[in-house]
Amino acid sequence: MASKFGLIGLAVMGENLVLNIASKGFSISVFNRTTSKVDSFVNGRAKKFGYGDKITGTYSLEEFVQSLEIPRKIMIMVRAGSAVDSVIQKLIPLVDKGDVIIDGGNSQFTDTQRRFEMLREKGILFIGTGVSGGEEGALKGPSMMPGGSIEAWPIVKPIFQEISAKVIEEDNSVSSCCEWMGEGGAGHYVKMVHNGIEYGDMQLICEAYMLMKNLGKSNEEMHNIFSQWNKEELGSYLIEITSEILLKKDEETGKFVVDLILDTAGQKGTGKWTSIESLQQGIPLTLISEAVYARALSAQKEERVIASSKIVGKTIEVNSISLDDIKQALYASKIISYAQGFSLLKSASKEFKWNLHFSDISKIWRGGCIIRSVFLNDITNAFRENSDLSNLMLDDFFNKRLMKAQESWRKVVSYCISKGIPVPALSSALSYFDGYRTACLPANLLQAQRDFFGAHTYERVDKKRGDFFHTNWTGEGGETTSNQYDV
């Protein structure tokens, strides 16, 4: 009997997805380039979990493809980049028109768009799906963000929505954390922004942790604080695991593990892609970009150690801050992180004609994924009430929360500046908040500078929008002329 699904790539993430799919009653064939991994998995974890009758091991791509029912549904779980292209090229001569190839890795959305267009010409359906939740999510239910060939969605929807995480709605109905994102690279674009927001969330929590350490709080005390916050409006997966991390001790030394970890952070590129794309779209993603830069700065460990002994930061006296001030600043900055992320998604949706549904995106992030939180319920409600909402800060709920948190937010940032404590994400979030709410920014002077040295023209406050002017800045009389050329 042919398998209903196929998966290539048996790293832990791939294995866990296979076990998840089999646990929901779907038969599945597996293949790995290193065929010994197929035997190890089929005779090991597959049998241990009791799904041996649902999982078929294959030992060549030809055998793998032939084992699948038509239309074939083939998911690739290999390292993003050239490896994905290599697998696709090997599959093309083996599959039929109407079959579905799925890339479930963290591919760059431009690669997904390219593969989608290439396979469409051959009559092969393609999906690029973001999968969030890590190894545990893959096994127990991830958040999934598929996009690509719309014709493929009805074919994979029953499986994808069955294996994804579930959340309970206010009316007690159950929702799947998987919805169709849009054509082409839409799914991986949404996953990219998801990861950018994840960067921001993690950096904000790290800055709150650094602040509490500065206030003399012990790891046990910080564990209790984060545990309490997780029961309140900041309740989230990242807050939860932070509280657990703070209590973990090293068996060898008896010290807290977190205190033994070198303060240099890695990254795989999705946060950087989000920042680059924000520049392409002209959407300010200051907090997320600062989170990316914070990781880059952390990697300059040797330079920072030298600088710490040569550069002395001067501090000034300010009033102390409370734990509630830190909590409010963290919450307000979190609003900014999501506001910026959804602004980028809104711009991209228009640019690429994806017609993204923002309430669906926030809905599927509520379960299974790394950034799942209570907070996302409020974002879902905001976009359900107003699908054209231009910025989350303009929603009544979030506007009121920002107003409530504003005093504490400013106290925290002021305190950090006065003490020389680096909080790039908290401070850039506040600066964006102030910039967005300022009706008149100094960009008039900036545009005058551009016109002075490059004749780039400008618009006038006393003329209609769309009319451009140029001033002869160094000529007598400072002549101003209308100019219609493109700026």
Side-chain angles (χ1 to χ4, degrees):
M1 182 177 175
S3 297
K4 293 185 178 297
F5 201 81
L7 187 141
I8 298 172
L10 291 177
V12 177
M13 190 83 169
E15 286 188 4
N16 284 0
L17 273 174
V18 172
L19 294 171
N20 184 354
I21 292 168
S23 74
K24 301 303 188 294
F26 300 104
S27 57
I28 179 168
S29 293
V30 298
F31 172 74
N32 196 83
R33 184 178 62 177
T34 305
T35 54
S36 60
K37 285 191 173 183
V38 176
D39 279 330
S40 177
F41 173 62
V42 171
N43 297 318
R45 295 185 73 204
K47 282 188 176 180
K48 179 181 177 182
F49 276 76
Y51 305 136
D53 60 329
K54 295 291 183 183
I55 301 170
T56 301
T58 63
Y59 300 90
S60 70
L61 273 180
E62 291 80 4
E63 180 190 2
F64 170 76
V65 171
Q66 290 169 9
S67 72
L68 301 173
E69 71 174 20
I70 296 175
R72 300 177 180 93
K73 299 168 282 293
I74 300 171
M75 191 167 193
I76 302 170
M77 292 296 294
V78 300
R79 185 183 296 274
S82 60
V84 178
D85 288 317
S86 177
V87 174
I88 290 174
Q89 288 302 319
K90 291 174 182 176
L91 283 173
I92 287 174
L94 303 176
V95 299
D96 298 318
K97 290 183 177 180
D99 286 348
V100 184
I101 295 177
I102 306 155
D103 174 15
N106 261 337
S107 290
Q108 196 162 6
F109 85 96
T110 49
D111 286 340
T112 303
Q113 186 69 33
R114 169 178 55 79
R115 292 163 185 152
F116 160 74
E117 292 171 356
M118 180 269 291
L119 290 170
R120 180 172 58 183
E121 293 179 358
K122 301 179 183 297
I124 301 169
L125 305 179
F126 183 69
I127 288 177
T129 184
V131 181
S132 180
E135 295 173 0
E136 181 182 9
L139 181 64
K140 298 180 179 179
S143 174
M144 302 183 71
M145 295 147 258
S149 306
I150 184 62
E151 305 92 331
W153 178 229
I155 299 172
V156 302
K157 181 179 179 180
I159 297 177
F160 276 18
Q161 291 199 331
E162 185 65 27
I163 68 171
S164 64
K166 307 296 186 296
V167 292
I168 306 298
E169 300 288 359
E170 292 179 356
D171 62 0
N172 290 322
S173 62
V174 178
S175 286
S176 170
C177 294
C178 174
E179 293 291 348
W180 184 252
M181 296 292 99
E183 197 174 44
H188 275 136
Y189 195 102
V190 172
K191 178 57 162 57
M192 176 191 73
V193 176
H194 163 285
N195 284 19
I197 293 171
E198 179 183 311
Y199 272 58
D201 271 6
M202 294 171 74
Q203 179 64 27
L204 288 168
I205 292 171
C206 288
E207 291 176 13
Y209 157 77
M210 188 176 187
L211 266 172
M212 284 189 272
K213 284 186 69 175
N214 183 268
L215 293 176
K217 299 299 179 184
S218 68
N219 285 358
E220 292 96 337
E221 288 173 316
M222 287 188 284
H223 159 77
N224 291 332
I225 292 164
F226 279 111
S227 295
Q228 182 59 39
W229 287 0
N230 192 48
K231 299 173 185 176
E232 301 169 356
E233 58 195 0
L234 281 170
S236 68
Y237 173 74
L238 287 170
I239 294 287
E240 178 185 353
I241 68 170
T242 299
S243 69
E244 294 179 12
I245 286 168
L246 287 162
L247 274 192
K248 185 69 173 178
K249 289 193 174 182
D250 177 54
E251 293 181 2
E252 180 182 348
T253 65
K255 297 179 179 179
F256 289 102
V257 175
V258 70
D259 295 333
L260 298 173
I261 297 175
L262 186 70
D263 61 319
T264 175
Q267 54 183 306
K268 290 189 175 180
T270 47
K272 178 179 69 176
W273 296 344
T274 312
S275 295
I276 292 171
E277 183 59 19
S278 75
L279 292 171
Q280 297 281 9
Q281 294 291 329
I283 299 297
L285 230 67
T286 51
L287 187 154
I288 290 170
S289 296
E290 283 292 355
V292 176
Y293 289 135
R295 293 196 190 190
L297 184 61
S298 78
Q300 298 175 339
K301 175 67 174 179
E302 290 76 14
E303 292 182 48
R304 290 189 290 110
V305 170
I306 294 171
S308 68
S309 64
K310 291 184 175 292
I311 304 173
V312 179
K314 293 185 177 181
T315 63
I316 60 174
E317 291 300 321
V318 296
N319 293 330
S320 61
I321 56 174
S322 67
L323 289 173
D324 187 64
D325 289 331
I326 298 173
K327 173 187 172 184
Q328 294 298 328
L330 176 58
Y331 187 84
S333 298
K334 188 178 175 76
I335 294 174
I336 299 302
S337 182
Y338 284 75
Q340 292 182 353
F342 275 96
S343 291
L344 178 58
L345 287 173
K346 193 175 186 69
S347 175
S349 181
K350 183 178 180 180
E351 170 78 15
F352 300 115
K353 298 180 174 59
W354 284 336
N355 191 30
L356 296 177
H357 296 281
F358 307 113
S359 60
D360 281 348
I361 292 170
S362 54
K363 183 192 81 169
I364 67 171
W365 287 353
R366 293 180 299 172
C369 74
I370 302 301
I371 62 172
R372 60 185 183 267
S373 65
V374 174
F375 182 89
L376 281 158
N377 289 320
D378 301 314
I379 296 179
T380 302
N381 291 336
F383 282 115
R384 281 176 176 170
E385 291 177 10
N386 182 6
S387 60
D388 294 324
L389 185 66
S390 58
N391 191 295
L392 277 177
M393 289 191 289
L394 300 179
D395 173 73
D396 287 345
F397 174 83
F398 289 110
N399 184 271
K400 289 176 183 176
R401 290 301 289 109
L402 286 169
M403 295 307 102
K404 177 183 176 183
Q406 189 176 166
E407 183 177 347
S408 291
W409 197 6
R410 295 191 187 283
K411 283 174 62 179
V412 166
V413 172
S414 298
Y415 178 86
C416 292
I417 292 172
S418 71
K419 298 295 183 184
I421 302 171
V423 284
L426 288 169
S427 58
S428 69
L430 180 58
S431 184
Y432 173 82
F433 167 79
D434 283 333
Y436 192 79
R437 69 177 187 83
T438 300
C440 294
L441 293 168
N444 55 324
L445 175 58
L446 189 150
Q447 198 63 15
Q449 292 169 337
R450 296 182 72 238
D451 190 56
F452 188 107
F453 64 69
H456 290 292
T457 75
Y458 53 84
E459 295 175 273
R460 293 172 57 115
V461 297
D462 57 348
K463 306 291 183 182
K464 70 176 182 178
R465 291 295 303 270
D467 284 349
F468 293 90
F469 300 85
H470 167 62
T471 290
N472 180 8
W473 297 94
T474 58
E476 292 185 6
E479 180 183 4
T480 301
T481 57
S482 176
N483 195 315
Q484 297 300 320
Y485 60 76
D486 188 10
V487 294

